[in-house]
Amino acid sequence: MIITVEEIKEMPEFKDMSEATIKRKLTAIEELVRAYTNNNFQSRAKRIHAPSSESKLQGICEYFKEGDTVQITESEVNDGLYVIKAIDKENGTITLDKELYEARHNLVTKIEYPTAVVEGTVNLMLWDVGMRDKVGIASETLSRHSVTYFSQDAGNQLMGYPVTLLGFLKPFTKARF
């Protein structure tokens, strides 16, 4: 996850929002960021090859810690993003936030998001909470009630967010081939 639910819950705008809702929104933004930038933000120097059984990874890495996001690739059944819930150094196992299927090979790589991506994600979350219900309104007058709407097209929105909010992603965008 780009930023933890606990960090978001510390902000007054999110105090009344349930953890499940925050997690769902953060997961959606993470997927959008990764898809838009074509960047998986993998730290390739911090990875291990580990089999999985009993819903745990059978191996540990000195660079992994609880709460880290990891990506499993090169597995026939476990590919995806996970969050490390527990590391058992005695038994040499890692427990993740979702169920793992038994597999002889999983390539597990740590995901590290730059600070600009974290801040941009917070701004997207804040916009979602404060402005999502006002999408399309250009101006609003209270006396004699007048509302002006603007056109929503590819020129002023992207992935459901205003283009100006997504400028932080430009330096992290990788070419698609």
Side-chain angles (χ1 to χ4, degrees):
M1 199 153 297
I2 293 176
I3 184 170
T4 66
V5 172
E6 292 78 22
E7 288 175 294
I8 288 288
K9 284 287 275 187
E10 289 175 5
M11 300 176 70
E13 295 86 355
F14 303 101
K15 289 238 184 263
D16 297 331
M17 194 179 288
S18 73
E19 287 190 18
T21 301
I22 292 173
K23 185 175 180 179
R24 188 183 70 246
K25 287 180 178 291
L26 286 173
T27 301
I29 290 173
E30 182 174 25
E31 289 172 2
L32 290 171
V33 165
R34 292 168 63 91
Y36 177 72
T37 61
N38 196 36
N39 187 340
N40 56 22
F41 298 96
Q42 289 184 345
S43 180
R44 289 180 176 86
K46 300 171 184 170
R47 64 173 27 160
I48 60 170
H49 296 273
S52 56
S53 65
E54 299 176 8
S55 204
K56 294 182 180 183
L57 289 172
Q58 304 299 316
I60 58 173
C61 176
E62 62 184 289
Y63 303 113
F64 294 177
K65 65 182 184 316
E66 290 179 18
D68 282 351
T69 300
V70 294
Q71 183 172 3
I72 295 180
T73 53
E74 298 181 10
S75 169
E76 294 179 5
V77 291
N78 293 317
D79 288 1
L81 290 176
Y82 298 85
V83 176
I84 297 175
K85 288 295 179 192
I87 298 175
D88 184 351
K89 291 183 180 180
E90 259 183 50
N91 296 321
T93 61
I94 297 175
T95 305
L96 303 175
D97 65 333
K98 294 180 254 179
E99 182 181 355
L100 287 175
Y101 297 102
E102 195 160 319
R104 285 182 279 141
H105 178 75
N106 297 292
L107 179 60
V108 186
T109 309
K110 185 173 181 174
I111 304 298
E112 295 180 317
Y113 294 101
T115 306
V117 172
V118 174
E119 277 305 306
T121 299
V122 170
N123 289 336
L124 290 175
M125 287 286 291
L126 288 169
W127 183 87
D128 227 8
V129 168
M131 300 299 289
R132 179 65 70 186
D133 59 340
K134 296 177 175 132
V135 169
I137 298 175
S139 68
E140 187 172 9
T141 308
L142 293 176
S143 179
R144 302 253 185 223
H145 189 67
S146 168
V147 179
T148 306
Y149 294 92
F150 66 89
S151 138
Q152 292 180 287
D153 56 20
N156 60 14
Q157 76 169 358
L158 187 63
M159 301 182 310
Y161 293 98
V163 171
T164 55
L165 280 180
L166 297 169
F168 73 95
L169 294 175
K170 195 74 165 165
F172 306 104
T173 303
K174 292 188 174 182
R176 295 179 195 272
F177 295 103

